[in-house]
Amino acid sequence: MASVPIIPDSYNHVLAEFECLDLLLSALRLDSSRLKCTCIAVSKRWLALGTSGGGLNLIQKDGWKQRLFLTHKEGAISRVACCLHDEDYVAVATSQGLVVVWELNQERRGKPERIYVSSEHKGRKVTALCWDRAALRVFVGDHVGKVSAIKINTSKQGKAAATFVMFPVQIITTVDSRVVQLDYLDGRLLISSLTRTYLCDTEREKFWKIGNKERDGEFGACFFPVGKNSGNQQPLIYCARPGSRMWEVNFDGEVQSTHQFKQLLSSPPLPVVTLRLDPHYTSSSCSPQSLSFPKLLYLTEHCVMTWTERGIYIFLPQSVEVLLWSEVKDIQDIAVYKSELFCLHTNGKVVHLSLLLVDRCIERLIRRGFWTLAARVCCLFQNSIISCRARKNLPLDKLEHLKSQLDASTQQDLITQLEELILKLEPLDSACSSRRSSISSHESFSVLDSGIYRVISRRGSQSDEDSCSLHSQTFSEDERLKEFPAHQEDEQGELDNVSHASVTVEADRNETFLPFSIPLSFRSPSPLVSLQAVKESVSSFVRKTTEKIGTLHISPDTRGKQEAKDEEQLQELTVNLVASPQEEKELEPQSCQLPEEDHLRDLKAATAEAITKLQDPLVLLEPQCMRRVLQEWLIYLEEKFGSKEHSASSVKKSKTVCAEEERAVLEENLRLDPTDGDPADKEQSSILEDCAEKENTDETCINKTMCENSTDLKGPLDCYFQVSPPCVIEPDVQKDLVELTTLCFELRVFSCGNGEAEESSDRSVPLASSWTLACRFMRSYFFLLDLKRLKQCIITMYATSPNVWETYIAGLKELTCHSPVALAMENEDMLKILKQLHDLGPWDDSPLLLAHAQRLYEKFGETALRPLIKFHPSILPSDIKQLCRNDPAHFLAYLDSLVKSKPENKRSSLLRSLLQPESVRLDWLCLAVSHDAPQRANTVDAEGNPRPRSHLFTWGYSQLILLLIKLPADFVTKEKMAEICRSHGFWPGYLFLCLELDRRIEAFTNIAHLDDLSLLNGEDGSIPETMEEWKFLLHLAQNHGTAFHHHGPQNGNAVSNGSPSCPDCITVENVALLLAKAIGPNRALPLLQECGLTLELSERFTGVCEILRIAEKRQRALIQSMLERCDRFLWSQQA
């Protein structure tokens, strides 16, 4: 049998055609050469098909039953658009350029009627139609670039409504070329032409050009709405660019980034699942595709769709991924609604495709009885089916049923491939087959991500009571337990090097359970078969565990002690196995209370005494006294919970005594383990596996609370964290312990031995020693630390010690290693992980979110930072700065995106709230002016002065810089910020700060160097206010002269001073004109004569002054006339 190419597991979506619309087109007589479909639109209820004969067919999608036919004598239908928020309205454009709006009157069961006909575009070709998403308004674009809006007045609004709207058609704008695509969202209209994309605020009547670079050809653009749970995050815009690129643009029209898909499109196309032909896949890669996307359409959540003459392309633009692309030839237009695609081909045919997950596609094919096609899709996408997510929707019984429906005589190859797929889902060495066969038909089950079968028994059913209850079987409780002693004895010899703990099994009320930590929550009709399956599964687990443990390097002395302890534990295990559930419940309180009464009594007393001492004001206000109190208390904490390393350094016992204590603590923990239940067993086994993988160490992890001492900081102690208490601690006691332990960390009391705490808190102690002690302290007492205060302390006190932050993050990772997000991090894509994180919320201020953010950043890099803004304030910029401290540019991109995600009027308050402490303002400003900035040589000359026009350079983070410098701050901080802006050549910020610091002379000097008259405006106070300032500015303009000005040659002649060719340069004449406009020509001339500058003025200055005098005279006359009229009116009112 020839091997069939298998699609990689990274592709888990597919385009599928479940129903053919050829019969529908034939019934509508749209399959002839005389009459064919010309345009298409879709909504939740309707499929609209415009025809070359001027008719519009409206077909109800539910069953393709009801049909409306609307006729137009104005020519063929060129465009059609359905109103999505009110499906009773449809807009139609004809070949003559008329736009007709129909009201269907379906609610009143009346006849459809024309409610408006627009002739604004008559004689032109309408190329785009778009409905407002909230109001009854249609936007129309044509081939010359004209865009208009039609406001609809309907009978639903009443007869009086029409009298208030005199002009239902409004001209929005006229762009430079043909309108390719229109889109509308939240008061913004997006217009994509042949050369560029425009953003229009229809409420405030403002327009923006998106980007600086033009293009030539059909390129689409669309809005990218945010989810319902995204808070204040604004929508995005995606604009197509040449070469398979897209611009990502914020809602204000600013380009954020450029996404390149050319290389990603070198993957082979995925087949379209259709009944027309069998799906085929070629694994060989194709060359990178440099495409032009004629339209961009928002499709379901997170997806943007487009097409070319070659195929359909669906992208995940936020994560810069290609969800899929499939070859579909000769597409003229596509209409989408959610995950449905209706493709209109150039020959008039219409194809209905659906975008869905592979397992959902197979499930739907099976439901419709398309057995062969379902089997072929299974074989092609078997990598996706094997994944845990797909196995939940496609359990083995469905695949077995699918295999049974195939013809064994003609489809043997397909059956063989399905069998191979089923074998991959069900390994031979597991007991899945036996377990599955033991599940009765009245029991439902699912497969968990770990591969465990979760069976839900419907207790109380008739069949359960009659035949499937364990009490009705021939095996009694004692007989079931007798099946396993021999098996246990055989396997106990294999577990020589493992520290065992008695296993607690979650017992059901009405069932007796086996002495193994594998839950069997279903009732088997054949207990012997089920128990044998469990026996095989446990044997496999023990064999694999033994192989891992065999790789550990254990010293002979340790091995001897270990074997002695194992024998004791195996005896305890055997006793616990035969105990009944009732006996276990009776023993649990005793085992929980015994260690706390015996071992925590001294710690409780010491804790209460320490808290009492710390409440004394004389101690509370003296840090050294607090350290001494904590140091005395830390002796008791280390005695109960400290590692061997701390006890050896502080108590300084002999090696023999330490070994005996270690053995005693080990036995204590082994006695305590049964109280912890299954979670402790899982943690214990995870530590064993981690230690088994580290072959370069000579130590052995005994259990979650004990590890051999190592003086090397890079030894096993680094990867060990005490994330859970070794015994049960009362909540009140734990609260006091957490308070004191966290206070120890904040005051750097890390050890109780011979004044180390005081030395470690001193400034003279080497930095390496301080962070080393901090890391050890965190690893030993992570379960007793307030994680929020700990994070803030690390950011504040250990900003220059990245190892401390890394240790903190490692502890958080250890604490969350079994969370669903951590498990999904290996296989899922970023958007699914982010959605899972969002669903697990609200996170509030939980530091555990940082562990997931670190994992995302490590896997996806900078791409993962921008979506994290939705988790603010649970994740703060200070946290992100720590995550990406090796690449500050990533932090800047996050901070800029976070600020821009808020409305303009709230950005300053947000940024001010983030500046905690205030010192980070200067750090952030230094980062912003040094990244994505022009070179300093281009903005500052050799003498440190501004280069002419250098303030016009583009700075990547100019908005962030201006927000930072405009926030309130003290005088010293403002001076430091001004110096930072000056040294880096950010002149707009420097001028603003000079004026704010009242250094006006310095500001005018730099404006003269920049040679831009527009900087002298009254809006920001940069215009001279006194005669002395005017004189100083005039002398600056005179001294710099013509050589200073940064003018290029025009027609081979240099630009002279005062020439009208440079109206925005700092020249004597331009400054004199500005002076005349500010104080009047009559006052300006004496000042110019006093400065001796009248000879440098041209006739242009004289003419402007005359015009200013005339304008001033007329203004005075007008004011006098108005005052006289007001006076007469007031006198007439008195009379």
Side-chain angles (χ1 to χ4, degrees):
M1 180 184 65
S3 61
V4 178
I6 300 175
I7 297 174
D9 57 354
S10 58
Y11 296 102
N12 51 13
H13 286 75
V14 69
L15 289 174
E17 181 187 14
F18 295 105
E19 49 194 357
C20 181
L21 299 182
D22 290 347
L23 293 178
L24 174 66
L25 296 178
S26 178
L28 298 175
R29 298 182 180 180
L30 293 178
D31 56 348
S32 63
S33 57
R34 184 181 61 87
L35 189 66
K36 68 176 184 177
C37 186
T38 56
C39 56
I40 190 170
V42 66
S43 65
K44 181 180 179 181
R45 182 181 183 184
W46 300 108
L47 172 63
L49 302 175
T51 67
S52 56
L56 178 66
N57 295 278
L58 289 171
I59 303 100
Q60 189 172 350
K61 289 166 56 180
D62 185 14
W64 311 107
K65 292 180 295 186
Q66 183 180 356
R67 181 172 77 92
L68 295 175
F69 185 73
L70 310 177
T71 59
H72 303 80
K73 299 180 180 179
E74 295 85 0
I77 307 298
S78 60
R79 291 286 165 185
V80 60
C82 300
C83 182
L84 297 181
H85 63 87
D86 191 342
E87 294 187 283
D88 214 26
Y89 298 93
V90 178
V92 176
T94 68
S95 58
Q96 297 180 7
L98 298 178
V99 179
V100 182
V101 181
W102 289 84
E103 185 176 4
L104 304 180
N105 294 321
Q106 291 296 295
E107 297 178 359
R108 296 178 293 180
R109 299 183 181 275
K111 292 183 178 180
E113 59 178 332
R114 295 187 179 196
I115 56 176
Y116 192 80
V117 178
S118 170
S119 58
E120 188 64 38
H121 301 268
K122 186 175 182 180
R124 299 173 181 176
K125 181 181 179 181
V126 175
T127 56
L129 285 179
C130 175
W131 279 90
D132 190 322
R133 301 197 183 190
L136 291 177
R137 183 168 52 169
V138 186
F139 298 98
V140 187
D142 60 26
H143 77 284
V144 298
K146 187 177 184 179
V147 180
S148 66
I150 304 173
K151 176 68 176 178
I152 308 301
N153 299 308
T154 70
S155 56
K156 295 180 181 180
Q157 299 172 338
K159 295 182 179 179
T163 60
F164 291 99
V165 183
M166 299 178 60
F167 304 101
V169 177
Q170 176 187 5
I171 305 300
I172 301 295
T173 186
T174 300
V175 295
D176 52 359
S177 58
R178 178 164 65 93
V179 176
V180 176
Q181 187 176 0
L182 296 175
D183 199 4
Y184 184 86
L185 181 67
D186 295 344
R188 304 286 174 94
L189 178 65
L190 193 63
I191 307 170
S192 181
S193 70
L194 294 175
T195 57
R196 61 170 66 247
T197 304
Y198 302 84
L199 184 61
C200 170
D201 188 336
T202 57
E203 297 174 358
R204 295 184 294 176
E205 297 184 357
K206 291 186 177 180
F207 296 86
W208 299 273
K209 292 180 180 179
I210 296 180
N212 297 322
K213 297 181 180 179
E214 295 186 352
R215 64 201 183 193
D216 186 15
E218 293 191 1
F219 295 92
C222 71
F223 286 106
F224 193 88
V226 295
K228 296 180 180 179
N229 301 324
S230 299
N232 295 328
Q233 185 177 355
Q234 291 184 323
L236 296 174
I237 301 170
Y238 286 98
C239 305
R241 297 291 300 166
S244 301
R245 292 177 298 162
M246 284 187 200
W247 272 345
E248 181 175 308
V249 185
N250 64 13
F251 208 53
D252 295 328
E254 301 168 346
V255 178
Q256 302 293 304
S257 58
T258 302
H259 300 326
Q260 175 62 262
F261 296 97
K262 181 178 180 180
Q263 296 297 329
L264 297 176
L265 291 174
S266 61
S267 58
L270 294 187
V272 177
V273 178
T274 174
L275 298 174
R276 302 173 191 265
L277 69 162
D278 292 335
H280 293 285
Y281 176 75
T282 304
S283 58
S284 59
S285 300
C286 57
S287 58
Q289 302 183 54
S290 180
L291 305 174
S292 300
F293 305 140
K295 281 187 182 179
L296 295 181
L297 301 177
Y298 177 76
L299 183 66
T300 66
E301 191 174 6
H302 308 304
C303 297
V304 169
M305 189 221 70
T306 186
W307 71 91
T308 65
E309 65 275 10
R310 184 177 180 183
I312 297 175
Y313 305 83
I314 300 177
F315 303 103
L316 298 173
Q318 286 183 301
S319 57
V320 196
E321 295 177 27
V322 177
L323 184 68
L324 64 85
W325 82 274
S326 300
E327 283 190 344
V328 182
K329 304 288 187 179
D330 302 324
I331 297 178
Q332 176 181 330
D333 198 5
I334 294 181
V336 300
Y337 180 77
K338 292 187 176 179
S339 60
E340 292 181 293
L341 290 78
F342 290 84
C343 306
L344 174 62
H345 291 262
T346 53
N347 59 2
K349 300 294 183 181
V350 178
V351 177
H352 178 201
L353 300 177
S354 298
L355 173 67
L356 67 171
L357 290 165
V358 172
D359 52 326
R360 298 293 185 189
C361 174
I362 297 171
E363 187 181 18
R364 194 175 295 184
L365 290 172
I366 293 175
R367 196 184 313 132
R368 298 186 179 216
F370 302 140
W371 312 111
T372 303
L373 184 57
R376 294 190 184 279
V377 176
C378 281
C379 296
L380 281 175
F381 290 89
Q382 56 183 274
N383 287 330
S384 299
I385 295 173
I386 292 173
S387 67
C388 299
R389 180 185 180 93
R391 290 181 67 178
K392 294 178 183 178
N393 298 321
L394 282 178
L396 288 174
D397 58 345
K398 284 190 178 181
L399 296 178
E400 292 280 5
H401 178 66
L402 174 61
K403 187 183 74 172
S404 65
Q405 297 297 323
L406 300 178
D407 189 352
S409 60
T410 60
Q411 298 175 321
Q412 187 59 42
D413 290 348
L414 204 52
I415 293 175
T416 304
Q417 295 176 27
L418 264 184
E419 289 175 347
E420 293 176 356
L421 172 60
I422 293 173
L423 289 176
K424 292 179 181 178
L425 297 176
E426 182 181 317
L428 291 175
D429 61 344
S430 71
C432 299
S433 179
S434 301
R435 259 180 281 170
R436 191 178 73 255
S437 63
S438 66
I439 298 173
S440 60
S441 60
H442 66 281
E443 292 168 339
S444 61
F445 68 99
S446 61
V447 184
L448 301 180
D449 292 345
S450 58
I452 297 175
Y453 282 76
R454 180 173 180 269
V455 185
I456 300 132
S457 176
R458 298 187 179 91
R459 306 177 190 277
S461 64
Q462 186 64 31
S463 59
D464 188 8
E465 294 176 358
D466 294 343
S467 60
C468 294
S469 175
L470 282 179
H471 296 286
S472 65
Q473 302 297 328
T474 58
F475 280 96
S476 66
E477 202 174 278
D478 297 334
E479 289 173 333
R480 291 170 61 207
L481 293 173
K482 290 177 184 178
E483 294 291 326
F484 291 88
H487 172 62
Q488 294 173 4
E489 293 173 2
D490 294 339
E491 293 179 352
Q492 282 176 0
E494 300 178 3
L495 302 177
D496 291 336
N497 300 325
V498 187
S499 175
H500 292 279
S502 58
V503 182
T504 302
V505 182
E506 297 179 1
D508 191 70
R509 296 178 181 176
N510 301 323
E511 293 185 8
T512 329
F513 273 80
L514 305 178
F516 289 88
S517 59
I518 297 180
L520 297 175
S521 58
F522 58 88
R523 296 182 176 182
S524 170
S526 176
L528 182 59
V529 175
S530 298
L531 298 182
Q532 182 64 27
V534 175
K535 178 180 177 181
E536 295 173 2
S537 179
V538 173
S539 300
S540 174
F541 170 77
V542 173
R543 183 170 60 255
K544 294 178 180 178
T545 306
T546 306
E547 292 173 358
K548 286 188 176 182
I549 296 172
T551 61
L552 295 173
H553 303 288
I554 305 178
S555 62
D557 296 337
T558 307
R559 185 184 299 275
K561 295 178 183 179
Q562 185 80 20
E563 290 174 354
K565 296 170 188 174
D566 287 345
E567 291 176 359
E568 296 177 2
Q569 287 304 309
L570 288 174
Q571 293 175 4
E572 183 181 352
L573 177 63
T574 307
V575 172
N576 288 337
L577 288 178
V578 297
S580 64
Q582 290 79 6
E583 293 174 348
E584 289 181 2
K585 293 179 180 179
E586 292 175 0
L587 292 175
E588 278 182 4
Q590 298 177 2
S591 61
C592 291
Q593 295 172 3
L594 182 62
E596 191 168 341
E597 291 179 357
D598 291 348
H599 300 285
L600 298 185
R601 185 184 297 116
D602 296 341
L603 181 60
K604 285 182 182 179
T607 302
E609 182 182 357
I611 291 177
T612 303
K613 290 181 178 179
L614 291 174
Q615 290 175 350
D616 185 355
L618 296 178
V619 176
L620 190 62
L621 300 176
E622 183 59 43
Q624 292 299 333
C625 295
M626 292 181 65
R627 291 191 181 98
R628 280 195 293 270
V629 172
L630 293 174
Q631 189 176 352
E632 295 172 359
W633 172 80
L634 195 57
I635 297 175
Y636 296 92
L637 183 68
E638 290 184 352
E639 182 181 350
K640 303 306 175 188
F641 299 124
S643 64
K644 177 182 172 185
E645 178 184 2
H646 288 289
S647 62
S649 62
S650 61
V651 186
K652 297 188 181 297
K653 295 185 178 181
S654 63
K655 295 183 178 179
T656 306
V657 176
C658 289
E660 291 177 358
E661 287 186 352
E662 178 186 346
R663 181 175 180 178
V665 175
L666 174 62
E667 291 174 355
E668 273 181 21
N669 293 326
L670 292 175
R671 287 197 299 271
L672 293 175
D673 277 343
T675 66
D676 294 339
D678 287 343
D681 298 337
K682 294 178 181 178
E683 292 176 358
Q684 203 173 45
S685 61
S686 67
I687 294 297
L688 285 172
E689 293 177 3
D690 291 341
C691 292
E693 293 173 358
K694 300 182 182 302
E695 299 180 357
N696 60 337
T697 64
D698 294 330
E699 316 300 332
T700 305
C701 280
I702 302 300
N703 53 23
K704 194 68 180 178
T705 62
M706 289 301 298
C707 188
E708 286 291 327
N709 181 31
S710 175
T711 57
D712 186 5
L713 292 178
K714 297 183 181 179
L717 194 60
D718 272 339
C719 54
Y720 157 74
F721 276 88
Q722 184 77 4
V723 295
S724 60
C727 65
V728 177
I729 306 175
E730 294 179 0
D732 295 338
V733 177
Q734 184 164 6
K735 180 180 178 181
D736 294 338
L737 292 176
V738 168
E739 179 65 29
L740 291 179
T741 309
T742 307
L743 194 59
C744 284
F745 189 90
E746 292 171 341
L747 294 177
R748 302 188 181 184
V749 181
F750 298 136
S751 176
C752 60
N754 299 330
E756 288 184 24
E758 296 181 8
E759 292 178 2
S760 65
S761 63
D762 190 11
R763 300 276 183 184
S764 62
V765 175
L767 184 61
S769 175
S770 177
W771 71 255
T772 300
L773 294 173
C775 293
R776 287 181 178 177
F777 190 85
M778 276 194 290
R779 288 194 295 269
S780 299
Y781 305 111
F782 202 77
F783 68 102
L784 289 178
L785 289 168
D786 187 329
L787 298 180
K788 295 180 184 178
R789 288 169 56 186
L790 181 63
K791 182 190 76 171
Q792 191 61 36
C793 180
I794 293 172
I795 293 175
T796 305
M797 301 174 61
Y798 295 95
T800 58
S801 302
N803 304 75
V804 182
W805 177 265
E806 290 175 357
T807 305
Y808 174 69
I809 292 295
L812 295 178
K813 286 184 177 179
E814 182 71 22
L815 202 58
T816 59
C817 62
H818 299 296
S819 69
V821 179
L823 297 176
M825 198 70 67
E826 299 178 0
N827 302 321
E828 301 290 349
D829 58 23
M830 187 179 70
L831 294 178
K832 293 180 181 177
I833 296 171
L834 290 169
K835 186 177 185 301
Q836 196 170 12
L837 271 179
H838 188 272
D839 294 341
L840 290 175
W843 290 93
D844 297 329
D845 296 331
S846 174
L848 299 181
L849 186 59
L850 279 178
H852 303 307
Q854 178 73 31
R855 291 189 179 100
L856 279 169
Y857 180 65
E858 290 174 354
K859 184 172 182 179
F860 300 103
E862 183 186 2
T863 311
L865 293 182
R866 187 173 298 167
L868 291 180
I869 62 178
K870 67 174 65 175
F871 295 103
H872 179 268
S874 299
I875 295 182
L876 297 172
S878 56
D879 304 329
I880 300 297
K881 189 177 181 182
Q882 291 288 341
L883 294 183
C884 51
R885 59 184 175 276
N886 295 328
D887 198 338
H890 293 178
F891 164 71
L892 275 177
Y894 166 83
L895 182 62
D896 193 54
S897 299
L898 176 62
V899 173
K900 290 181 178 178
S901 66
K902 305 297 180 182
E904 290 185 8
N905 57 342
K906 296 182 180 179
R907 292 177 182 177
S908 297
S909 58
L910 169 68
L911 193 57
R912 189 173 185 180
S913 66
L914 300 177
L915 295 175
Q916 300 294 335
E918 185 70 20
S919 58
V920 301
R921 182 202 300 255
L922 298 178
D923 298 336
W924 291 3
L925 181 61
C926 290
L927 285 176
V929 297
S930 57
H931 287 81
D932 198 8
Q935 296 182 1
R936 188 176 185 276
N938 295 331
T939 58
V940 183
D941 60 18
E943 299 176 357
N945 296 320
R947 289 191 180 276
R949 304 301 175 111
S950 58
H951 64 290
L952 300 177
F953 278 111
T954 301
W955 294 68
Y957 299 104
S958 59
Q959 293 188 15
L960 179 62
I961 298 171
L962 291 174
L963 284 174
L964 283 171
I965 65 178
K966 289 181 180 180
L967 288 177
D970 57 87
F971 185 81
V972 177
T973 303
K974 289 285 186 179
E975 284 190 326
K976 292 179 180 179
M977 289 194 295
E979 179 59 27
I980 292 173
C981 292
R982 189 196 64 79
S983 60
H984 288 83
F986 185 70
W987 304 117
Y990 181 66
L991 293 176
F992 175 84
L993 289 169
C994 284
L995 294 172
E996 195 172 29
L997 295 171
D998 203 21
R999 289 151 53 173
R1000 300 180 61 82
I1001 299 300
E1002 189 174 347
F1004 293 143
T1005 304
N1006 284 276
I1007 289 175
H1009 282 288
L1010 290 171
D1011 195 23
D1012 190 352
L1013 193 67
S1014 62
L1015 295 174
L1016 294 170
N1017 57 75
E1019 296 179 1
D1020 53 6
S1022 58
I1023 195 168
E1025 297 176 350
T1026 63
M1027 291 299 180
E1028 287 73 17
E1029 290 181 354
W1030 280 110
K1031 291 179 182 179
F1032 178 77
L1033 187 59
L1034 287 168
H1035 284 299
L1036 281 176
Q1038 182 184 23
N1039 293 336
H1040 283 78
T1042 308
F1044 170 75
H1045 303 301
H1046 187 67
H1047 302 314
Q1050 295 182 353
N1051 300 326
N1053 297 321
V1055 179
S1056 60
N1057 184 26
S1059 170
S1061 302
C1062 52
D1064 58 344
C1065 300
I1066 302 294
T1067 63
V1068 173
E1069 181 167 316
N1070 288 339
V1071 175
L1073 287 173
L1074 188 63
L1075 173 65
K1077 293 177 183 178
I1079 65 176
N1082 294 331
R1083 296 178 60 193
L1085 282 175
L1087 180 62
L1088 292 173
Q1089 291 174 357
E1090 181 182 349
C1091 296
L1093 298 175
T1094 53
L1095 298 178
E1096 299 187 22
L1097 303 178
S1098 64
E1099 295 180 358
R1100 172 171 170 263
F1101 176 80
T1102 306
V1104 171
C1105 287
E1106 289 297 328
I1107 295 174
L1108 289 174
R1109 288 191 184 95
I1110 296 172
E1112 186 178 354
K1113 184 177 180 180
R1114 290 186 176 181
Q1115 188 175 13
R1116 286 198 300 267
L1118 179 61
I1119 294 173
Q1120 181 68 25
S1121 174
M1122 293 177 63
L1123 289 174
E1124 290 176 356
R1125 290 182 181 181
C1126 290
D1127 186 60
R1128 286 196 298 268
F1129 174 76
L1130 293 174
W1131 280 109
S1132 64
Q1133 291 296 318
Q1134 289 181 0

